[in-house]
Amino acid sequence: MMKDFIADQTFKGEDYTKNRLPQGDYENCVFEGCDFSNGYLDNQNFMECEFLDCNLSNANIAHSIFKEVIFSHCKLIGLKFEDCNDFLMDFSFQDCILNLSSFYGLKLKSQSFMNCKLEGVDFTEADLAQALFAECDLKGAVFNTTVLENADFRTARNFSINPEKNRLKKAKFSKEGVVGLLKKYDIVVE
């Protein structure tokens, strides 16, 4: 079945919770204030698209392609990004809520998270070399055999990373943030 090619369109205030977004290749499109929660975004191709003030919580994104996609002020709770097609995967998140989402095993070098809530997010076995976690809340986020070389956590907070189980060479932390590397030792730093 041939997918429709949709380019340079804006979708504003649409509710896709009951009727799914038509299957297609979306290029240079803007989705603003749309609700995809608990809906189906599987097998879609998004290239150079923007999602602004959208709710994608618990949406099915299996086999979808996100290439040069920007998520801004979006709610993305419980998404399984590892179910996406990782070919050319490239996205950025700004002022988003990604709680309980999973990036298990993905290669996300230079990934950008700006002012995001990442509570309970699973980064197990992900490659986040050179990633930026600017002003992010990482309470309960899971880092296990994660590549974090040259990652920037200087303004991140509430993280707990075991240096023995993750690759941290040249990762950047603030003096206050170093406590997040010591939690496993149950020591008191004053």
Side-chain angles (χ1 to χ4, degrees), residues 103-111 113 122-133 142-153 161-173:
F103 295 90
Y104 178 86
L106 291 176
K107 288 184 176 23
L108 300 170
K109 288 186 177 184
S110 302
Q111 179 62 52
F113 297 96
D122 187 0
F123 291 112
T124 300
E125 296 183 20
D127 184 347
L128 290 161
Q130 301 168 355
L132 173 63
F133 293 92
V142 178
F143 296 94
N144 189 12
T145 60
T146 307
V147 178
L148 297 167
E149 294 172 350
N150 292 299
D152 189 341
F153 289 91
I161 300 171
N162 183 342
E164 295 171 15
K165 292 188 176 185
N166 297 282
R167 291 176 36 197
L168 294 170
K169 187 175 182 178
K170 300 208 180 213
K172 299 170 190 78
F173 298 92

Side-chain angles (χ1 to χ4, degrees), residues 4-176:
D4 289 334
F5 180 75
I6 300 103
D8 305 314
Q9 290 192 28
T10 298
F11 300 83
K12 201 167 189 171
E14 298 288 339
D15 184 347
Y16 295 109
T17 58
K18 292 172 184 60
N19 297 314
R20 70 180 291 153
L21 178 70
Q23 290 239 330
D25 293 325
Y26 293 85
E27 186 174 309
N28 201 34
C29 290
V30 176
F31 298 90
E32 186 175 349
C34 295
D35 190 355
F36 300 95
S37 59
N38 298 302
Y40 295 92
L41 278 175
D42 55 316
N43 297 298
Q44 302 280 20
N45 294 338
F46 298 102
M47 296 153 290
E48 299 176 23
C49 292
E50 284 186 68
F51 289 83
L52 308 169
D53 296 310
C54 292
N55 185 355
L56 291 91
S57 296
N58 296 311
N60 179 348
I61 56 175
H63 310 293
S64 287
I65 293 174
F66 293 96
K67 179 183 180 271
E68 295 182 42
V69 173
I70 298 169
F71 293 97
S72 181
H73 297 88
C74 290
K75 197 171 177 183
L76 304 132
I77 297 172
L79 292 185
K80 295 186 180 217
F81 288 95
E82 69 267 17
D83 291 346
C84 292
N85 183 331
D86 62 357
F87 180 68
L88 301 174
M89 183 181 279
D90 178 27
F91 36 54
S92 64
F93 302 96
Q94 185 168 353
D95 297 301
C96 291
I97 301 171
L98 289 130
N99 298 350
L100 305 173
S101 290
S102 177
F103 295 90
Y104 178 86
L106 291 176
K107 288 184 176 23
L108 300 170
K109 288 186 177 184
S110 302
Q111 179 62 52
S112 175
F113 297 96
M114 308 283 287
N115 198 35
C116 292
K117 286 192 83 169
L118 297 157
E119 294 181 9
V121 171
D122 187 0
F123 291 112
T124 300
E125 296 183 20
D127 184 347
L128 290 161
Q130 301 168 355
L132 173 63
F133 293 92
E135 301 294 335
C136 290
D137 187 349
L138 291 155
K139 182 178 182 182
V142 178
F143 296 94
N144 189 12
T145 60
T146 307
V147 178
L148 297 167
E149 294 172 350
N150 292 299
D152 189 341
F153 289 91
R154 288 179 292 181
T155 59
R157 61 193 175 283
N158 298 324
F159 57 84
S160 179
I161 300 171
N162 183 342
E164 295 171 15
K165 292 188 176 185
N166 297 282
R167 291 176 36 197
L168 294 170
K169 187 175 182 178
K170 300 208 180 213
K172 299 170 190 78
F173 298 92
S174 67
K175 287 178 184 172
E176 298 80 24

